[in-house]
Structure formats: structure tokens, C-alpha cells
Amino acid sequence: MSEILHLPLCYLTNELREHEAKAQENHPSPPLMERAGKAAADWLLTRISNTDKILIIAGPGNNGGDALVMSRLLQLQGVHCTTVLLGKINKLPIDAANAYQAYCDAGFLLQNELPTIEEWTWGIDGIFGIGLTRHPEGAFAKAIEYLNQCSVNILALDMPSGLNADTGVAFSPCVIAHHTLTYLGWKPGLFTYDGRDYAGEAYLDELGVPAGTASGTLIHTAPVQPPPRKHNSHKGTYGTVGILGGEEGMEGAVILATRAALKSGAGKVIGSCLGSLQIDMNFPQIMRSKPEKLLSQPLSVLGIGPGLGTSAEAQELLKTSLSLPIPLVIDADALNLIAANPALKTLCQQRNADTIITPHPLEAARLLHTNTESININRIESALKLAKEYNSTVVLKGSGSIIATPDGQWFVNTSGHPGMAVAGMGDVLTGMIAGVVAQGVTAKDATSLTVWAHGETSIL
Ligand SMILES: NC(=O)C1=CN([C@@H]2O[C@H](COP(=O)(O)OP(=O)(O)OC[C@H]3O[C@@H](n4cnc5c(N)ncnc54)[C@H](O)[C@@H]3O)[C@@H](O)[C@H]2O)[C@@H](O)CC1
Ligand SMILES: [K+]
């Protein structure tokens, strides 16, 4: 399987600031703000007709400057625009002040209050971009609420105002955009946590600037190809997956995981339950085994945790599993057991073979001995911390799953949909990852490919 090569970078705000500063220096003309406003005007011009009326709201910073450039260029094309500037003119940053001057020089009108008559077909949000630092209040909050209650298409420039570009946490209020045209590089906040609910469809315009340096990667397509298969191969070529879990009443979790492992291309799959596992008549090729026997077999990878429970027996089996020199995919109750038992945590930290952990935010909170909220307010940081602390490749589940590796890389997944918020989805993911790892794929490649494919297909 090839390395992850062709995915776009994902920038944190401080990385974007550096990227922007270098771009201003190395590619000064035309100014970036002029390009940003033009990109937005061009974007809109392909989507409107001459009967459309556009409301443009510009804020107190450079995001507002983008909006002023956009408005000027649209009006020069004869588009009907009403433009509101919320910031104080004498406090505009230099680039936005230049945009303001160019707007006035072109002879167009500006308003400093929201209009009372609503006659828009599009609303443009240029209130705040990546410079948002706190809850929008006063006139800014009113403008955001105004845009949200207009039943028209909303285009946000760079970020929906009120959405944190790094974390995807939405302040209240926050613009609910139908579209977001983001500049220079992707921001994780557009895709993770609240991001997708507020950004709508996201588009990138790099403003003609070559890629800079970013710590993250955006998964928006299959990041790697599935392993190629030779005609001259057999089931032994594609590895053996063991899945261990399913206490009494939870055996279905193992059924889901084993099916997913099989469908992901593993050569052989063996399911094992603490409860009683019946033959899966839909997939009778899935084998069954008693837990102790499973752990003494030559497995390529073990998925442990789906429906496992937290009994003493489960704990013993997990202890044995953590000592196996094979890749492990650890989910659900197996994570809860590790979180509650320092000796198991130490075993996990000391492993030499790949370990992949797939917590949802509550499981992540238990593993880091904190609460769910502190996980959610910074999902990237939480995933990186887990990866380091547990010497594992991490999939932090939830909207915009974050993958983090022990060496500090992080990825944001963009596939998936709200229909996936249903019991059993995590079991399927565990099985899929195990199925791909069984074929010899590294933990990083297997998780990024599988998390993306899981969201894209939602199999079973
Ligand atoms: N400087 C440049 O050359 C470029 C900047 N660009 C645009 O500039 C944006 C970043 O500009 P800025 O750093 O000026 O940031 P913003 O325009 O996002 O806003 C920052 C301003 O709003 C204030 N502010 C933040 N949160 C507030 C709140 N809740 N209530 C009231 N005021 C608040 C800040 O004190 C600051 O004055 C990007 O998102 C992008 O849209 C683009 O034009 C690309 C080029
Ligand atoms: K904005």
C-alpha cells in the first residue's frame, strides 16, 4: 500500500498566519485580500442571475475587508448589493482599511446598520474569519442572528462567523452557512465537531499561493489504495482476524465486527464471545472459537472490545491480549477496562506491535481521566494526547473523526453522515480496521483508509 501522498493539508490558525505572512511577502501582488474578495465574487457570479439581490455584511477585521472587496467587484459587474460595515472605520486593520478606501473610491454606498426590509436572495457573511476570539455579542451577534433568520442562501467567507477554525466549536450565535469559501488552506474546524453543521458545503481557494507548512491532513477521498491482490494468492495471503467480545446479550457486536472484517478482505475471520456465539448463517465462513483458544491461535490481528463487558474474565482476556506480539484494535469496553486499570494501561504503553484504539468522546474522556466536554472542545489535541499516552494510533470518533499517531501526525475525516449515529457502527469500524490490518497494512494507512470508507459506505 502506498503512503498517504495526495491529500490536502489542514492548517491550524497559527500555521495559517505564518503561511499568510510568507505569501504576502513572496507573492505580494495582487494583495491577498484582493484575491480573496475576487475569489468570492467569482464564486457567486457563477451561481446568480441578474435578478438576485445580495446582502453583504462586513466585520471589524480582515474578513470584513474580504467582504468589501467582494462587494466592490460584484457592483462593478452590475450586481445589486447592499453592504453593511459593522466595524469602526478608524479601527480597521491596514488591509481592510485599504479595501474600504477602494470601495469608497469606486463610489459605492455603505450602511452601518442592518436593513429593515429583507429582500435578499443571498447573504454573505464577512463578519469574522480566523480572528474570532470570543463570543459574538451586541451588533455582531445581532448580525449573525439576522443572517440565520433570512431564509436565503448564506455564503460564509473563510469561516462561518462564530465557528472556531481550530476546534470546530460553535459559539452562540454562529452563522449557519449553506456554503463556506475558505482561503489559503483547509481548517479542521470546518469539518470536525460542530463544523459540518455550520459550514455547509466547503470550498477551498488557495488564492494562487503554493501550499505552506501544516501539521494536519484532510481525508476527503480514499487516502491510499486497498492492497493489490495477486491472482496467484489464497486465503492465507490475506491474514487471519480474531474478534473477541460479546458478553451474554451483546454477541451481536461480534457478529457485526466479524462480518465487517470479512467484507474488508481478510482471508479468515474467527469470532469469539464471552456469551454464546451461534453460527452466522449469513456468513457461515466466519469461524467460531472459545476466547482462550482464540488467543492461542496464530492470528494476524486481534480486534477486542465489541460488547466485551467489564467482568473479571474480560479483564483477564484483555491482559493476555495486550501481551500478544500482534497488532491489536481496541474498542468499547476494552478501552473502559484499560482506563480503569493502570496495569493494563502500562501493558498497552509497552507494546511493540501496532495498537489502534477507537474511542468515542466518552471513552476518550475515561482514558484521559477528564470529562467529555474537555475532549470535545479540542478534539485534535485530545487525539494527539491519547496517541502519545497510550502509544497507539487513535481514531477519535464523532462528526469529523480525528486520527492521531504516536509520532504526532493528525488527520480529519470528512466522510460520514448523521445516520451513522446508531448502535453497532463502532463494532463495524473495529472489524473493518482489523480486516485491513490483517492484510499487512500499517496502522496509520489502515485507519485512515477505513475511517474514510466506513463513512463513505456505511456497510452492513
Ligand atoms: N491579512 C490578509 O492578507 C488576509 C486575510 N484574510 C482574511 O482575514 C481573516 C483574518 O483576519 P483578522 O485576523 O483581521 O480576523 P477577523 O477578520 O476574523 O476578525 C478579527 C477582528 O474581530 C475582532 N473580534 C474577534 N472576535 C470578536 C468577537 N466575538 N466580537 C467582537 N470582535 C471580535 C478582533 O479583535 C479583530 O479586530 C481571514 O479569516 C480571512 O478572511 C484573507 O483576506 C486572506 C488574506
Ligand atoms: K465569515
Side-chain angles (χ1 to χ4, degrees):
M1 186 173 283
S2 56
E3 261 290 299
I4 297 171
L5 282 179
H6 301 297
L7 292 178
L9 297 176
C10 202
Y11 296 75
L12 296 173
T13 304
N14 60 340
E15 296 166 342
L16 268 172
R17 296 277 190 204
E18 254 181 56
H19 183 36
E20 186 183 289
K22 279 191 190 147
Q24 298 271 35
E25 205 181 308
N26 300 333
H27 310 270
S29 182
L32 285 183
M33 188 170 287
E34 199 63 25
R35 299 185 218 180
K38 182 172 184 321
D42 290 346
W43 186 97
L44 193 69
L45 282 168
T46 61
R47 290 163 172 86
I48 57 173
S49 68
N50 50 16
T51 57
D52 277 297
K53 294 185 175 175
I54 321 297
L55 171 66
I56 299 178
I57 305 186
N62 287 322
N63 195 248
D66 296 344
L68 292 176
V69 173
M70 178 192 191
S71 181
R72 189 188 87 233
L73 297 177
L74 286 174
Q75 291 183 71
L76 287 171
Q77 297 277 330
V79 178
H80 183 295
C81 296
T82 299
T83 310
V84 180
L85 176 61
L86 297 176
K88 291 202 173 68
I89 292 157
N90 59 356
K91 293 209 168 149
L92 289 173
I94 180 79
D95 293 336
N98 290 339
Y100 168 78
Q101 196 55 52
Y103 185 92
C104 296
D105 291 349
F108 300 127
L109 293 178
L110 266 180
Q111 308 199 11
N112 55 14
E113 288 203 0
L114 295 168
T116 46
I117 304 167
E118 290 176 24
E119 49 168 9
W120 330 114
T121 50
W122 279 84
I124 309 301
D125 160 28
I127 306 171
F128 300 119
I130 58 171
L132 178 84
T133 49
R134 55 192 186 277
H135 254 93
E137 289 172 337
F140 302 112
K142 271 204 186 111
I144 291 172
E145 279 155 2
Y146 184 93
L147 279 175
N148 284 347
Q149 55 86 38
C150 293
S151 49
V152 298
N153 272 307
I154 305 290
L155 168 67
L157 305 184
D158 208 22
M159 290 296 299
S161 297
L163 187 65
N164 185 302
D166 287 343
T167 64
V169 174
F171 280 128
S172 176
C174 177
V175 165
I176 304 168
H178 300 92
H179 312 272
T180 298
L181 177 63
T182 206
Y183 299 131
L184 292 173
W186 292 113
K187 291 94 180 159
L190 294 168
F191 300 100
T192 199
Y193 200 50
D194 291 322
R196 289 178 69 188
D197 289 323
Y198 288 87
E201 191 77 27
Y203 310 79
L204 170 67
D205 196 306
E206 290 163 317
L207 308 182
V209 178
T213 306
S215 55
T217 304
L218 194 76
I219 302 177
H220 73 148
T221 184
V224 284
Q225 289 302 309
R229 292 193 162 223
K230 285 191 176 163
H231 291 281
N232 184 14
S233 62
H234 54 85
K235 66 186 176 193
T237 315
Y238 302 112
T240 303
V241 173
I243 299 287
L244 177 56
E247 66 175 352
E248 192 68 42
M250 299 296 285
E251 294 88 345
V254 169
I255 293 174
L256 288 169
T258 50
R259 286 182 181 187
L262 189 74
K263 287 282 190 182
S264 301
K268 290 184 271 181
V269 180
I270 310 169
S272 183
C273 279
L274 273 64
S276 48
L277 185 61
Q278 307 299 315
I279 184 166
D280 182 348
M281 289 310 291
N282 288 310
F283 295 93
Q285 64 271 54
I286 295 173
M287 295 171 276
R288 292 172 296 151
S289 171
K290 295 263 183 249
E292 291 77 11
K293 194 168 160 222
L294 179 78
L295 299 186
S296 63
Q297 296 197 31
L299 302 173
S300 315
V301 53
L302 176 70
I304 181 164
L308 181 71
T310 52
S311 63
E313 185 188 3
Q315 184 158 318
E316 261 326 289
L317 288 165
L318 178 58
K319 189 174 163 200
T320 308
S321 304
L322 286 166
S323 306
L324 294 175
I326 56 168
L328 289 185
V329 186
I330 308 177
D331 188 35
D333 279 332
L335 296 175
N336 295 330
L337 282 167
I338 293 173
N341 185 328
L344 292 179
K345 179 176 177 180
T346 304
L347 280 177
C348 186
Q349 289 167 329
Q350 290 171 343
R351 281 175 48 75
N352 288 322
D354 279 343
T355 310
I356 298 165
I357 62 175
T358 56
H360 56 54
L362 177 58
E363 288 157 355
R366 290 179 183 135
L367 287 166
L368 290 177
H369 303 292
T370 181
N371 53 35
T372 314
E373 160 141 35
S374 79
I375 297 293
N376 284 336
I377 59 170
N378 202 334
R379 286 167 52 78
I380 294 168
E381 205 175 279
S382 303
L384 286 168
K385 199 165 172 201
L386 279 167
K388 208 161 175 206
E389 202 164 315
Y390 286 85
N391 181 29
S392 300
T393 298
V394 176
V395 178
L396 178 57
K397 294 185 285 204
S399 182
S401 287
I402 306 291
I403 296 169
T405 63
D407 63 0
Q409 297 181 63
W410 58 271
F411 304 80
V412 183
N413 182 49
T414 63
S415 69
H417 53 83
M420 293 176 72
V422 62
M425 273 295 156
D427 307 325
V428 170
L429 181 69
T430 299
M432 286 175 76
I433 296 174
V436 175
V437 170
Q439 296 166 71
V441 179
T442 64
K444 184 179 80 176
D445 284 0
T447 46
S448 54
L449 173 62
T450 307
V451 167
W452 177 80
H454 182 246
E456 194 69 4
T457 56
S458 302
I459 61 159
L460 295 186

